[in-house]
Amino acid sequence: MGGAVVDDEPSDVKAPDGGWGWAVLAGGFVITGFSYAFPKAVSVFFKELIREFGVGYSDCAWISSILLAMLYGTGPLCSVLVNKFGCRPVMMVGGLFASLGMILASLATSIIHIYICTGVITGLGLALNFQPSLIMLNRYFSEKRPLANGLSAAGSPVALCCLSPLGQVLQYHYGWRGGFLILGGLLLNCCACGALMRPLVGPKKTQDQAVGEAGKKNKPKKKLLDFSVFKDRGFIIYAIAASIMVLGLFVPPVFVVSYAKEMGNEDTKSALLLTILGFIDIFARPTCGLIAGIKWVRPRCVYLFSFAILFNGITDVISSQATDYPGLVVFCIFFGLSYGMVGALQFEVLMAIVGTKKFSSALGLVLLMEAIAVLVGPPGAGRLLDATHNYMYVFLLAGCEVILASIVICMGNFLCIKKKPDEPEAHLENGAPAEREKLNSLLEAEGGEHERASCEVCK
């Protein structure tokens, strides 16, 4: 009422840290669940698809791979669309794409049609929802943002626990075509979640001032994709570490069930491992978000993230020596805990590093880099398994990759950022994105002055 809608300049309006932000968080919870759980949930239809089209399991596995590749690889496209049109319209169109893909897939006559409809169209729709939901969460929360990120990230394990059994029920009663059709209708809820992402509203004086100053000075044209984030050493360190981490992060959940079956365990008993992992993950994410929001911890959130990655990698390495089912149960408990910590912190740390203004571009570029690793990691581990016929080497490789990522982000931040107090980045504690935004605006206003001059202004 009487306010100015602010979508492209979120730093002009203080994050409410509540209010309508809780509705935004609820929408983000659902979107995160669909985005991460859907590629795994469609795997319950693979046996029917193999029988229908006369293809192999590896052919059907490409459906999930294409979905994930679209989710990660279209990051820059999502950033451009969000910066051009705003989060709400992009998400609502994305919801239509996600639903349309599954509905068209229910009419497929070949596996290629499934690739195009479910993999490309639905994958694009989910991508157009996932990234804007994170951006809006960043705009609505500041002090409570670590907790908000943890709660939103918990949507992934919750949705996986719900969508997989639902898919089995739908397949049993309606077949894979009916199941795809109903799931397509379910994905229309993404449009409802997108409708919740209303832009922040500033005070009335902001609108009056904007009208009065419109003729006095021209605003610089907004960048649709801001590559200046690559000038930030914190972002470069994060992007490299995240890409290495993703190489091994998703490998254990893919292979742990097969590992248990090779030990001679029943299918149902082996599948129970993923349920245990997911159950621990549900509680680990919001708990870690709560811890990350503690006043003393938040400025050092990047090191907590590094510890979570290290914890995950060590868990993988130790699990490679498991010889029985109880050993794998213990592994799933600790992996679920560490995996949940990583999931709760990964985007919180990125938000803290780049700030609100550049987050949409930074997120898109990071997801693009991770997309390459996602396509290389699990297939590479599969090739290693084919060559050695030993799961120990698969888990060892995954663990070493994740541990390396932990070392990169920890040592990179400690050596390249913390020890240089005379440079702008030193003033940017990971828990204070507002200070980073002030510094960035000063740097832009000075128009090319030396960094030391900017630091003197900050001091």
Side-chain angles (χ1 to χ4, degrees):
M1 295 291 293
V5 176
V6 182
D7 190 31
D8 59 338
E9 295 291 343
S11 60
D12 294 343
V13 181
K14 184 179 178 181
D17 269 316
W20 189 257
W22 298 117
V24 172
L25 173 58
F29 179 90
V30 175
I31 294 299
T32 302
F34 277 135
S35 300
Y36 278 117
F38 211 79
K40 301 170 187 175
V42 296
S43 63
V44 302
F45 297 97
F46 283 180
K47 284 188 177 180
E48 288 292 322
L49 295 176
I50 290 170
R51 188 180 300 112
E52 175 85 14
F53 299 117
V55 296
Y57 185 87
S58 60
D59 298 312
C60 288
W62 273 103
I63 300 172
S64 297
S65 296
I66 295 171
L67 267 168
L68 283 173
M70 292 298 295
L71 181 64
Y72 283 89
T74 56
L77 173 62
C78 294
S79 296
V80 170
L81 293 175
V82 166
N83 290 332
K84 179 77 173 176
F85 302 106
C87 291
R88 179 188 273 177
V90 170
M91 290 183 68
M92 296 184 76
V93 171
L96 293 175
F97 269 96
S99 176
L100 179 64
M102 292 302 294
I103 292 172
L104 291 176
S106 68
L107 306 173
T109 56
S110 73
I111 195 67
I112 301 298
H113 295 163
I114 303 287
Y115 292 161
I116 296 172
C117 298
T118 301
V120 176
I121 300 177
T122 297
L124 176 61
L126 291 175
L128 293 177
N129 275 270
F130 176 62
Q131 189 169 323
S133 70
L134 290 175
I135 294 169
M136 290 302 295
L137 199 66
N138 181 41
R139 293 179 181 178
Y140 269 88
F141 289 92
S142 178
E143 293 297 324
K144 298 178 181 178
R145 195 181 64 210
L147 175 61
N149 273 310
L151 291 171
S152 176
S156 174
V158 170
L160 184 59
C161 291
C162 297
L163 285 179
S164 293
L166 175 63
Q168 292 174 340
V169 171
L170 293 177
Q171 179 179 279
Y172 178 77
H173 288 284
Y174 306 105
W176 72 268
R177 294 185 186 274
F180 274 29
L181 187 62
I182 294 173
L183 287 177
L186 190 64
L187 285 174
L188 283 173
N189 285 289
C190 292
C191 296
C193 293
L196 295 174
M197 307 294 170
R198 71 184 186 195
L200 286 170
V201 177
K204 187 175 182 180
K205 62 178 183 179
T206 303
Q207 187 178 22
D208 297 337
Q209 290 175 352
V211 173
E213 296 175 2
K216 294 182 180 180
K217 59 178 181 179
N218 294 323
K219 279 181 138 183
K221 189 176 181 180
K222 187 176 180 181
K223 297 177 181 178
L224 295 180
L225 190 60
D226 192 352
F227 289 97
S228 66
V229 291
F230 284 107
K231 296 179 181 178
D232 188 328
R233 285 176 297 178
F235 172 77
I236 293 174
I237 292 168
Y238 176 91
I240 294 173
S243 299
I244 297 173
M245 176 188 73
V246 170
L247 283 172
L249 184 65
F250 300 126
V251 170
V254 172
F255 289 94
V256 68
V257 174
S258 300
Y259 195 4
K261 290 179 181 179
E262 190 179 79
M263 290 180 179
N265 296 291
E266 300 174 355
D267 290 357
T268 306
K269 192 176 180 182
S270 299
L272 182 62
L273 292 172
L274 286 181
T275 304
I276 296 171
L277 191 158
F279 182 77
I280 300 296
D281 191 6
I282 289 172
F283 296 97
R285 296 190 184 219
T287 303
C288 185
L290 194 62
I291 294 172
I294 297 174
K295 187 176 181 181
W296 184 85
V297 177
R298 193 172 184 187
R300 301 163 181 84
C301 196
V302 66
Y303 297 108
L304 179 61
F305 182 48
S306 175
F307 168 76
I309 300 172
L310 180 64
F311 183 15
N312 186 271
I314 292 174
T315 301
D316 292 345
V317 171
I318 295 176
S319 72
S320 67
Q321 306 302 315
T323 57
D324 53 16
Y325 187 79
L328 290 181
V329 170
V330 173
F331 158 70
C332 286
I333 292 173
F334 283 97
F335 185 88
L337 180 60
S338 60
Y339 189 75
M341 292 175 66
V342 172
L345 293 171
Q346 58 178 338
F347 297 120
E348 164 62 24
V349 171
L350 180 60
M351 289 176 186
I353 288 173
V354 301
T356 302
K357 283 187 176 180
K358 296 183 179 181
F359 178 67
S360 62
S361 296
L363 179 60
L365 294 169
V366 165
L367 289 177
L368 178 61
M369 296 175 69
E370 289 183 354
I372 300 171
V374 165
L375 290 176
V376 171
R383 284 181 176 272
L384 179 62
L385 181 62
D386 291 338
T388 62
H389 301 285
N390 193 331
Y391 284 91
M392 179 186 74
Y393 297 114
V394 173
F395 281 73
L396 276 176
L397 175 63
C400 290
E401 290 167 342
V402 175
I403 290 172
L404 177 60
S406 171
I407 295 172
V408 168
I409 195 169
C410 180
M411 298 307 296
N413 277 272
F414 184 77
L415 297 176
C416 298
I417 295 179
K418 190 173 181 180
K419 283 195 174 183
K420 294 185 180 289
D422 59 321
E423 297 191 9
E425 286 85 352
H427 301 284
L428 307 178
E429 287 289 343
N430 283 308
E435 293 301 319
R436 176 179 292 271
E437 290 169 10
K438 289 180 182 178
L439 181 60
N440 287 339
S441 61
L442 283 171
L443 287 171
E444 291 174 4
E446 294 299 324
E449 287 190 6
H450 197 273
E451 289 184 348
R452 290 182 182 175
S454 297
C455 285
E456 290 299 322
V457 174
C458 293
K459 293 176 182 177

